[in-house]
C-alpha cells in the first residue's frame, strides 16, 4: 500500500481531517498521510484552519514513508516557492565630520570638562561674595 509512494514524489490529495498538530491528506482511497503543521506553509502557522479546510484539494510532496508502521509524512510548503526575502536597506554611513565636532559641542574627556567645571564653580563662588 505505502510502498507505491516514494519520497520526493509530488501528488494531489484531499484533506480528510485537521488536528492541532497537522492535516490528514488522502492520497488514494486506501492511503493517507500527515502534513505536520510546520509543513503547511512557509512561515509560522498558528491555526491550520486559517489555511486548510476538510475537502480541500492540495498538492503535497512525500517527505518520508515509514514501511514499518505505514505512516507517510507529507509537505505542502515543499511544493511552493519560498517567499522572497525582503531587501534590507542598510543605513548610509555618517559623514567623517559630525555636527557635534563642527559646532564645538560634543563629548570631551573628563579631564577637559573638570577644568571647565572648576572655573564655573569658582565664578559662582565669587558672585555669591
Amino acid at each position: 500500500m505505502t510502498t507505491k509512494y516514494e519520497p520526493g514524489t509530488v501528488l494531489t490529495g484531499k484533506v480528510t481531517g485537521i488536528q492541532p498538530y497537522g492535516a490528514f491528506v488522502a492520497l488514494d482511497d486506501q492511503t493517507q498521510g500527515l502534513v505536520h503543521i510546520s509543513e503547511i506553509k512557509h512561515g509560522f502557522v498558528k491555526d491550520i484552519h486559517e489555511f486548510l479546510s476538510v475537502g480541500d484539494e492540495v498538492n503535497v510532496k512525500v517527505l518520508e514513508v515509514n514501511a514499518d508502521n505505514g505512516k507517510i509524512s507529507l509537505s505542502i510548503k515543499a511544493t511552493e516557492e519560498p517567499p522572497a526575502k525582503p531587501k534590507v536597506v542598510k543605513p548610509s554611513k555618517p559623514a567623517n565630520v559630525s555636527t557635534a565636532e563642527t559646532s564645538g559641542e560634543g563629548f570631551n574627556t573628563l579631564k577637559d570638562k573638570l577644568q571647565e567645571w572648576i572655573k564655573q564653580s569658582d565664578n559662582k563662588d565669587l558672585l555669591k561674595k
Side-chain angles (χ1 to χ4, degrees):
M1 203 170 7
T2 58
T3 56
K4 67 181 178 181
Y5 297 105
E6 296 291 324
T9 307
V10 176
L11 308 161
T12 300
K14 188 177 237 178
V15 177
T16 59
I18 297 176
Q19 295 295 320
Y21 53 84
F24 291 95
V25 176
L27 302 175
D28 59 37
D29 291 337
Q30 300 171 348
T31 310
Q32 66 178 349
L34 175 69
V35 178
H36 187 266
I37 190 169
S38 64
E39 294 295 328
I40 299 290
K41 73 174 213 80
H42 295 278
F44 180 74
V45 175
K46 183 176 182 177
D47 183 10
I48 297 172
H49 291 93
E50 293 178 14
F51 304 97
L52 297 174
S53 300
V54 173
D56 287 352
E57 285 200 5
V58 292
N59 289 327
V60 292
K61 183 174 186 176
V62 178
L63 298 178
E64 181 181 353
V65 178
N66 188 328
D68 296 336
N69 60 18
K71 293 183 178 181
I72 301 175
S73 298
L74 304 170
S75 174
I76 295 172
K77 78 176 182 181
T79 65
E80 301 171 347
E81 283 287 321
K85 292 185 180 183
K87 288 187 177 181
V88 178
V89 178
K90 294 181 181 178
S92 60
K93 292 183 180 180
N96 289 340
V97 179
S98 71
T99 55
E101 290 173 357
T102 57
S103 66
E105 297 176 13
F107 294 104
N108 295 329
T109 64
L110 187 58
K111 182 179 174 185
D112 295 339
K113 283 305 244 181
L114 184 58
Q115 295 301 321
E116 219 177 289
W117 294 331
I118 291 172
K119 286 180 186 175
Q120 288 174 355
S121 175
D122 288 342
N123 288 342
K124 287 181 185 176
D125 287 342
L126 290 175
L127 292 175
K128 288 182 184 177
K129 291 182 182 178

